Amino acid sequence: MAPSKKRNVICAKTAEQSGKRAKIDLNTKVNDVLQGKKNANDVFDILEVLESDKEKDVVNAINACSKLFSSLLEKKALFLGKLPTEEEEEALSGGLSAEEKYRLFMRQRYSNCVEMLLEHLDHELYSVKESALCCLMKFAEGEGRHPLEDLDWSEHYSFPRELIQGVVDRLLSKTTDNSMLISRFQEFLEMEDVRYYVMSSIRENVGKVMDKNKGALVPVYQNNVFTLMANISIPSQESGLINFMIKQEVKHDDWKVSKINEHKRAFEKMWLGFLKYKLPSNMYKKILVILHDSILPHMSKPTLMIDFLTAAYEVGGAISLLALNGLFVLIHQHNLDYPDFYKKLYNLLEPSVFHVKYRARFFHLADVFLSSSHLPVYLVAAFAKRLARLALTAPPTALLIVLPFIYNLIRRHPSCRVLMHKPSTQDESVEDPYLMEEEDPAQCRALESSLWEVKTLQNHYHPDVAKAAGSINTPLTGLEDDISEVLEITTYELMERDLKQSRIKTVPLEFETATQLLKGSGDVLGQHFCLD
């Protein structure tokens, strides 16, 4: 038989009352523990609720623990120093006073609570993970202000490094994507001291985990590491280091965490320690996209990234192009000597470059790379000739980019005009001396050739391409063509543009409009013809 409506109402009220009672009991027990040592054992009841299966109970227990142990830390009611082992505790128990035993007991319960909260960072429910994270960071602040170690303040600085290391270890899970939790953690990364020790903790964790896996790919873990590191940014000047979670009582200005160069060094070691291992192919792109804006400016020696960029180039495709962009930044802004740069760019020019989705980005960056007027003539000629050869099989949308690109190269380097107006003799061989298969632009013999491919494209089926190719027949103007307008053009847009071209609707056939059959101006037709 189904339960009656009255019984359902009673059950609902009972459940609601029990939930309220549990909350009241937790708050009561926290107050009891804080008010007198005789109620110290009530802490076990609070920790027991912390292991509940119910989300609401666990969150309430976390809040209760936060209130309880934060108060105990502030009152300095916890044992100071390293916790003794069971054997050491038995040996010490006889010589400890009641107050010292109470402090030791509560310190052990605090350690139990921290361990349970760290485990809750792997909880399946996000609300539990978020509450545990916030509670742990509150404990970190409490430990920093009221250290659990008996420090000599004139020689040491106080910061809960072990607790921060534990939080970082849990955030960098090997099996669970913690992107949301890491996003929540970003709030704490705005504090200078937290950020500094998080960077050190990440470096230590990455070295330990990746060495244990012998450098093999751990995609979920590496994605968590990248997500956490990508949220870290450093002020550009030391005057920006003003937001500290823990203000040291003495010698704060001498603390290495207050030095911008120490932050940059830690940032650099963290990234280099992560990038020296093999990465998932999709992660190379994520890193290279933010490299010049979010990573290189915060490094003390940006040129140390050359090994990573060289390895990224070998991946191929869009990643190779982005790697060259990183190398270009190092060459121009940090005086990196990298003689193979243009050779690598030259070898990226293949037929497939006209059909990939990053085509627009490729030609935009290639235009930037080749914008200098101080490049050697043979190099510019090699790029112009290779693009011209590839243009023979390129689609119209690509040709509308390539042809102005070639013209701009010749405008920047007038010495390359020899490719447009190549004098010929009767004894000259018909064979093109240009070596398409040669990987070194210095050896491809481009200057000995000509841009006959552009002349061929004047017979292209698409009128816009034929018109663009015809520009080579006239002297080029000094003003460069703006290729930004055609970088993103698609075949669909090209067809739509052709179909929407305006057409003349009426064609005039006579000067004066005829008003009747065989009756025009002057009635000339009527004089010689009739309809009878």
Side-chain angles (χ1 to χ4, degrees), residues 8-246:
N8 285 340
V9 172
I10 294 173
C11 291
K13 286 184 177 180
T14 305
E16 184 179 354
Q17 289 171 356
S18 63
K20 288 182 178 179
R21 191 181 303 117
K23 184 175 181 180
I24 294 171
D25 287 346
L26 284 175
N27 291 331
T28 302
K29 288 183 181 295
V30 169
N31 291 331
D32 291 343
V33 173
L34 293 175
Q35 287 174 3
K37 298 181 178 60
K38 62 179 181 179
N39 299 316
N41 285 330
D42 286 349
V43 72
F44 286 113
D45 297 332
I46 300 174
L47 296 179
E48 185 179 355
V49 181
L50 201 57
E51 295 179 319
S52 173
D53 295 331
K54 296 181 180 179
E55 175 185 0
K56 189 174 181 180
D57 290 347
V58 176
V59 172
N60 289 336
I62 292 173
N63 294 334
C65 290
S66 175
K67 179 181 178 182
L68 172 62
F69 291 110
S70 294
S71 299
L72 293 174
L73 282 167
E74 190 173 350
K75 293 178 179 179
K76 299 184 179 181
L78 299 179
F79 177 80
L80 297 182
K82 185 178 179 181
L83 277 176
T85 62
E86 292 184 5
E87 294 79 7
E88 292 173 341
E89 186 178 349
E90 290 178 2
L92 286 172
S93 60
L96 295 177
S97 64
E99 177 67 23
E100 290 171 332
K101 288 181 180 179
Y102 170 78
R103 290 172 179 268
L104 179 59
F105 172 80
M106 296 308 296
R107 173 69 185 280
Q108 290 169 334
R109 302 295 74 78
Y110 172 72
S111 296
N112 296 148
C113 178
V114 169
E115 290 175 5
M116 295 168 70
L117 290 174
L118 288 172
E119 290 177 3
H120 279 325
L121 291 180
D122 295 328
H123 201 279
E124 58 184 7
L125 297 174
Y126 175 74
S127 59
V128 174
K129 294 195 285 189
E130 182 184 19
S131 298
L133 177 65
C134 294
C135 182
L136 286 166
M137 294 308 296
K138 189 174 182 180
F139 287 168
E141 183 178 3
E143 284 191 33
R145 294 180 177 176
H146 311 285
L148 294 178
E149 298 180 20
D150 192 10
L151 296 176
D152 179 0
W153 285 96
S154 62
E155 298 294 335
H156 296 86
Y157 297 102
S158 170
F159 195 86
R161 303 178 193 179
E162 292 184 6
L163 184 53
I164 293 296
Q165 182 72 57
V167 172
V168 170
D169 290 347
R170 293 290 180 167
L171 288 175
L172 303 181
S173 171
K174 295 185 279 293
T175 56
T176 306
D177 183 3
N178 278 335
S179 299
M180 286 184 62
L181 192 61
I182 291 172
S183 178
R184 180 68 178 84
F185 187 64
Q186 185 177 2
E187 171 191 331
F188 304 102
L189 293 175
E190 295 176 2
M191 292 179 277
E192 325 297 349
D193 43 2
V194 173
R195 181 175 60 242
Y196 178 83
Y197 286 108
V198 164
M199 290 190 291
S200 300
S201 299
I202 291 174
R203 185 188 65 201
E204 184 176 332
N205 181 275
V206 168
K208 181 172 60 178
V209 172
M210 296 306 294
D211 288 344
K212 185 177 180 180
N213 287 274
K214 298 180 180 179
L217 292 177
V218 191
V220 176
Y221 170 76
Q222 289 173 302
N223 186 65
N224 284 330
V225 175
F226 170 75
T227 304
L228 181 55
M229 294 197 304
N231 282 316
I232 296 176
S233 60
I234 299 173
S236 56
Q237 298 180 354
E238 196 159 304
S239 57
L241 299 176
I242 55 176
N243 183 21
F244 292 87
M245 184 173 76
I246 300 163

Side-chain angles (χ1 to χ4, degrees), residues 187-343:
E187 171 191 331
F188 304 102
L189 293 175
E190 295 176 2
M191 292 179 277
E192 325 297 349
D193 43 2
V194 173
R195 181 175 60 242
Y196 178 83
Y197 286 108
V198 164
M199 290 190 291
S200 300
S201 299
I202 291 174
R203 185 188 65 201
E204 184 176 332
N205 181 275
V206 168
K208 181 172 60 178
V209 172
M210 296 306 294
D211 288 344
K212 185 177 180 180
N213 287 274
K214 298 180 180 179
L217 292 177
V218 191
V220 176
Y221 170 76
Q222 289 173 302
N223 186 65
N224 284 330
V225 175
F226 170 75
T227 304
L228 181 55
M229 294 197 304
N231 282 316
I232 296 176
S233 60
I234 299 173
S236 56
Q237 298 180 354
E238 196 159 304
S239 57
L241 299 176
I242 55 176
N243 183 21
F244 292 87
M245 184 173 76
I246 300 163
K247 185 76 173 178
Q248 302 298 328
E249 294 184 5
V250 292
K251 295 185 178 180
H252 180 83
D253 293 337
D254 295 335
W255 193 21
K256 63 181 179 181
V257 177
S258 64
K259 307 292 183 183
I260 190 64
N261 288 335
E262 293 292 338
H263 280 261
K264 286 188 173 184
R265 193 171 291 112
F267 184 86
E268 180 179 275
K269 289 180 179 179
M270 174 187 70
W271 274 105
L272 293 176
F274 176 64
L275 298 178
K276 73 178 182 180
Y277 297 101
K278 185 179 180 181
L279 301 173
S281 57
N282 63 336
M283 189 165 291
Y284 279 101
K285 189 172 182 179
K286 292 180 183 179
I287 295 170
L288 291 168
V289 165
I290 67 170
L291 183 71
H292 60 287
D293 287 332
S294 304
I295 300 178
L296 293 180
H298 302 312
M299 297 181 70
S300 56
K301 295 181 180 179
T303 52
L304 293 175
M305 293 292 287
I306 186 171
D307 291 337
F308 165 72
L309 292 171
T310 304
Y313 172 83
E314 303 298 333
V315 176
I319 295 173
S320 296
L321 176 65
L322 292 171
L324 285 182
N325 187 33
L327 288 169
F328 187 76
V329 172
L330 293 180
I331 291 170
H332 277 257
Q333 298 181 10
H334 303 284
N335 301 318
L336 175 69
D337 184 17
Y338 195 76
D340 290 338
F341 176 81
Y342 286 101
K343 181 179 178 181

